[in-house]
Amino acid sequence: MKMSDTDELMVKYVELYNDIMSTPDDRKEDEELMTKLKDLAIRLSTRYLFENGYTLKKDENGSLCLLEKEGN
């Protein structure tokens, strides 16, 4: 992951957020835009955690879903 990629994701998130907030409530594609916004938020959050030393760990069922700070 490059920091420029993170910056690019943040710019996309802010632009999409501003687009959603500046449009009327009855706009039909709001559902699609909200889905894209949620996806970008998840990607940014995950990237932030990985860049700050967190890693995925398997839970009891073998799924990778728990975040654990490296070195602890």
Side-chain angles (χ1 to χ4, degrees):
M1 280 184 273
K2 299 177 193 170
M3 192 55 110
S4 61
D5 295 340
T6 302
D7 292 340
E8 185 179 323
L9 279 177
M10 286 191 291
V11 168
K12 286 181 185 178
Y13 179 86
V14 170
E15 288 173 349
L16 186 57
Y17 178 83
N18 288 337
D19 185 41
I20 290 170
M21 297 309 285
S22 65
T23 57
D25 290 337
D26 60 349
R27 197 165 134 183
K28 289 184 179 180
E29 57 268 15
D30 275 354
E31 181 91 21
E32 182 181 329
L33 290 177
M34 289 303 292
T35 301
K36 287 181 182 178
L37 187 66
K38 287 177 188 176
D39 178 58
L40 284 172
I42 291 168
R43 290 171 60 193
L44 278 170
S45 300
T46 304
R47 185 167 290 204
Y48 173 82
L49 290 169
F50 285 141
E51 288 174 353
N52 286 285
Y54 285 84
T55 185
L56 289 175
K57 177 182 170 185
K58 290 187 179 184
D59 66 2
E60 311 80 52
N61 300 323
S63 299
L64 290 173
C65 64
L66 300 174
L67 290 168
E68 183 177 79
K69 181 83 172 175
E70 290 178 348
N72 288 342

